[in-house]
Amino acid sequence: MVAVLERRYPPSWAEEWDRVGLVLGEPTAAVRRVACVVDVVPETVAEARAAGADMIVAHHPLLLRGVSSVAPTTYKGRIVHDLIRAGVALYVAHTNADVAAPGVSDALAARFGLTGLRPLHRPSPGSPADGPGRGIGRIGELPAPLTLAELTRHAAAVLPATAWGVRAAGDPGRIVRTLAVSGGSGDAFLAEATAAGVDAFLTADLRHHPAGEHLAAGGPALLDAAHWATERPWLDDLAAHLRDDLGVETVVSDLDTDPWTVHAAAPVLDDKEPRP
């Protein structure tokens, strides 16, 4: 199982700060059923155990930063103990799955029917991840032009539902033909989206000042979706790969692990109504 995952998502493709690969479990243990999740949290662990999974393959690392204890009295320590006690292995494919082709952003691009895909941010020449089609994010053509307002509604319909939904920045009537997408946090790639000449860029975790300065400089329109929603589509591709290559059973978690759980849109004020 590990060998198959590492052929598709080599650990050497991950960023230096990342922590990927086998986290828990015996490398030689038999795996019959795999649970595919974005986040390793108590709820997804319970879901995997209830499904009879022998292994969890997660996108986000459980132990990204150094820890001095995995005591069961700590949040992450309890998860580690629960997994070991249940005999459930844990494997992580994070930035190495982001840069892969196909990878996280290919699955996101497919939700929009994008064609003519190319990377948004390419790996450094000569780096382990450098290669045809690989890189962070994807740029492609929409099947038909949409206004930014239409694209925002379309994004909310084709992405997994969250309380966050999808918000956009820019002229609502702007025509969008070319779209860049990047699963997960993407405001580090605003300059690349501008340089690529796309009409809009969809990602997650956009911040106030970088977004405002980007638009003021004439950059493409922005769509900001929930982090979990932009990465959840990849789980379907991962599950299909494991079924096809290894014949194992797979279960995909649709449990929304986005931390934002309540959304209220501001009321639309009548033009004649005095504003506070």
Side-chain angles (χ1 to χ4, degrees), residues 120 139 180 189-201 214 220 222:
L120 172 63
I139 298 169
F189 309 114
L190 293 174
E192 280 92 339
T194 299
V198 299
D199 299 314
F201 176 34
H214 163 88
L222 300 174

Side-chain angles (χ1 to χ4, degrees), residues 41-258:
V41 294
E43 294 81 2
T44 54
V45 170
E47 194 177 53
R49 292 179 61 182
D54 305 299
M55 172 182 272
I56 292 174
V57 178
H59 186 49
H60 291 148
L62 174 64
L63 304 173
L64 180 59
R65 296 174 177 84
V67 296
S68 59
S69 171
V70 288
T73 52
T74 64
Y75 175 76
K76 293 187 177 182
R78 169 50 59 194
I79 292 173
V80 169
H81 279 257
D82 286 348
L83 289 169
I84 293 174
R85 186 176 295 111
V88 178
L90 173 61
Y91 187 93
V92 171
H94 190 211
T95 53
N96 49 333
D98 288 331
V99 77
V104 171
S105 289
D106 292 285
L108 180 57
R111 292 287 178 115
F112 294 88
L114 299 185
T115 56
L117 295 182
R118 62 189 189 278
L120 172 63
H121 174 80
R122 296 179 184 276
S124 300
S127 69
D130 187 25
R134 294 200 288 269
I136 301 293
R138 294 293 181 266
I139 298 169
E141 301 287 329
L142 287 166
L146 296 171
T147 66
L148 177 60
E150 290 170 336
L151 178 59
T152 304
R153 290 191 292 270
H154 181 62
V158 300
L159 292 177
T162 61
W164 180 270
V166 180
R167 60 183 182 175
D171 178 1
R174 178 173 183 165
I175 300 299
V176 179
R177 295 180 175 85
T178 56
L179 177 66
V181 300
S182 185
S185 302
D187 67 4
F189 309 114
L190 293 174
E192 280 92 339
T194 299
V198 299
D199 299 314
F201 176 34
L202 180 144
T203 187
D205 301 340
L206 291 175
R207 294 173 295 157
H208 176 90
H209 292 294
E213 292 167 10
H214 163 88
L215 293 171
L222 300 174
L223 293 94
D224 188 27
H227 192 122
W228 173 83
T230 64
E231 296 175 331
R232 161 60 185 84
W234 171 70
L235 301 183
D236 294 324
D237 288 2
L238 169 66
H241 173 64
L242 294 176
R243 288 194 305 267
D244 294 345
D245 262 32
L246 293 175
V248 297
E249 297 179 23
T250 56
V251 290
V252 172
S253 176
D254 279 315
L255 184 67
D256 178 4
T257 54
D258 193 71

